[in-house]
Amino acid sequence: MTVYSSNEAPVARGSRLAFHHGTLMAVSIHPFDTALGAEVRGLDLSASVDDSSFEIVRGAYEEHSLLLFRDQTLSPEQHIDFSRRFGALEIHVLDQWRHPEHPEILIVSNIKDKDRHIGVPHAGRYWHTDLSYMVAPSRGSLLYAIEIPEQNGRPLGDTRFASAVAAYEALPDEIKARIADLSATFSLAHHRSKLMADGADQSPLTPEQEVKVPTAVHKIVQVHPVTGRKCLFINEGHAVEILNVAPEESRELLDLLCRHVTKPEFVYRHQWRVGDLLMWDNVATQHIAAFDYALPQRRYLHRTTLEGVALA
Ligand code: OGA
Ligand code: MN
């Protein structure tokens, strides 16, 4: 590992030195061997992160779209404090699954208290990006693993992430031209109907929730609001139909683009460990969870969600 002194610290790669509890620590960025993602080492997120280390993290987030911080021990307050360094937090519309004392935290879990799910039981059942059904989809999500199911020492419930940037770049020119000005509708109610049609143990959104998240319209090709890179912004979980084309063409294009974006060459598969904090960009990536475990195997994570800006 290369170690730089702080005044020669490169913006995204490499390392810099920082004192933490009197110990010299070096923040370093280790890109994965995949289309997206990097591990950040040398940071204890339960303590406050100094500004120059934070700028390295922010630069790495822009460059790699997904960051992994291993071996963290975070209280809800510490998780929220670190998340807020990136901007304001969403209070998720699914109020039944927010943390009872910290509404900024959404609980993702298969655990039940009697008959009641204590967290979102089907988060990530289909490829999606968080809050793509809102006018201003999220800038990013930070998911912290507290309990991870396993079998014979092997973790279950992996999450796969696809790079919407690499997927866009790899599209044939003819398709790029065809979708350049197209928009699609995105809906959480549609997502819920899909889950129910697939037999998931779910009820429809309440009328109050439906009012808070009406159907949104977004362009299929987004210029990323921070990096300026073009992203293929369409996902099987929330996208309903492509506007201003015949219904068959909408179905055909949706199917083609959703299958394209999740091809293995654009994907990183995350195998969870307790103590992982994983953060991802909801415009530059999409994700899906594996449901290869069941109670009494328990899965329990905390998520914070960054506010985003209104997209085209
Ligand atoms: C989420 C999500 C997937 C998972 O929290 O946004 O999609 O693996 N989670 O829990
Ligand atoms: Mn998600």
Side-chain angles (χ1 to χ4, degrees):
M1 183 181 74
T2 324
V3 177
Y4 299 83
S5 66
S6 54
N7 59 358
E8 43 179 355
V11 172
R13 284 170 192 274
S15 314
R16 67 169 297 282
L17 299 175
F19 278 99
H20 175 61
H21 296 322
T23 315
L24 197 56
M25 308 216 1
V27 181
S28 57
I29 309 297
H30 304 261
F32 299 153
D33 187 14
T34 43
L36 73 169
E39 183 180 346
V40 182
R41 295 194 196 141
L43 277 185
D44 171 1
L45 303 178
S46 69
S48 77
V49 174
D50 67 275
D51 288 345
S52 48
S53 297
F54 184 73
E55 284 314 310
I56 291 183
V57 172
R58 191 208 298 280
Y61 184 51
E62 287 172 17
E63 183 174 351
H64 302 290
S65 309
L66 174 143
L67 296 180
L68 169 63
F69 305 81
R70 289 220 120 129
D71 304 316
Q72 302 296 322
T73 308
L74 295 177
S75 66
E77 289 88 350
Q78 290 162 342
H79 182 176
I80 291 168
D81 285 350
F82 178 64
S83 305
R84 284 215 172 104
R85 296 288 294 273
F86 294 90
L89 302 185
E90 288 281 349
I91 305 295
H92 203 283
V93 61
L94 297 176
D95 43 1
Q96 69 272 42
W97 294 317
R98 299 196 296 232
H99 190 294
E101 284 127 54
H102 302 280
E104 299 86 351
I105 287 187
L106 182 72
I107 296 174
V108 173
S109 184
N110 68 333
I111 300 171
K112 282 183 160 185
D113 175 15
K114 303 198 180 70
D115 281 345
R116 185 187 159 273
H117 284 287
I118 65 162
V120 190
H122 299 288
R125 180 70 71 166
Y126 311 108
W127 283 99
H128 69 288
T129 68
D130 300 333
L131 275 43
S132 70
Y133 48 81
M134 290 179 49
V135 172
S138 162
R139 165 86 189 96
S141 302
L142 295 92
L143 189 60
Y144 173 56
I146 298 169
E147 290 185 69
I148 295 298
E150 56 168 56
Q151 195 154 37
N152 306 324
R154 197 178 66 81
L156 301 172
D158 293 359
T159 314
R160 280 176 292 153
F161 293 85
S163 168
V165 176
Y168 176 78
E169 283 167 4
L171 281 174
D173 288 345
E174 174 259 322
I175 305 272
K176 283 184 182 159
R178 195 166 151 208
I179 65 174
D181 294 316
L182 291 179
S183 293
T185 49
F186 294 74
S187 152
L188 181 60
H190 168 80
H191 176 259
R192 194 53 73 88
S193 318
K194 228 167 123 83
L195 277 171
M196 287 162 62
D198 288 346
D201 169 20
Q202 289 272 282
S203 40
L205 296 182
T206 64
E208 295 77 20
Q209 290 171 339
E210 285 227 26
V211 168
K212 283 192 188 149
V213 282
T215 298
V217 176
H218 301 299
K219 291 190 78 172
I220 296 177
V221 180
Q222 288 291 335
V223 174
H224 191 284
V226 176
T227 66
R229 288 187 285 201
K230 284 191 177 167
C231 307
L232 188 53
F233 194 76
I234 190 88
N235 65 70
E236 67 165 356
H238 300 147
V240 186
E241 61 171 347
I242 296 177
L243 299 174
N244 299 319
V245 297
E248 316 80 74
E249 188 179 356
S250 163
R251 273 194 298 276
E252 177 232 330
L253 257 181
L254 267 179
D255 187 52
L256 182 151
L257 296 172
C258 290
R259 273 188 295 121
H260 171 79
V261 82
T262 60
K263 285 180 183 159
E265 59 266 39
F266 310 131
V267 171
Y268 161 68
R269 182 175 189 121
H270 187 64
Q271 211 173 53
W272 289 93
R273 288 194 339 214
V274 170
D276 284 352
L277 179 81
L278 196 64
M279 83 175 283
W280 60 85
D281 185 312
N282 282 310
V283 179
T285 75
Q286 44 180 275
H287 57 279
I288 189 170
F291 286 84
D292 54 357
Y293 58 92
L295 289 172
Q297 293 165 319
R298 288 156 60 104
R299 193 170 187 270
Y300 183 85
L301 305 94
H302 280 174
R303 185 182 110 192
T304 53
T305 316
L306 305 176
E307 280 183 4
V309 294
L311 295 183

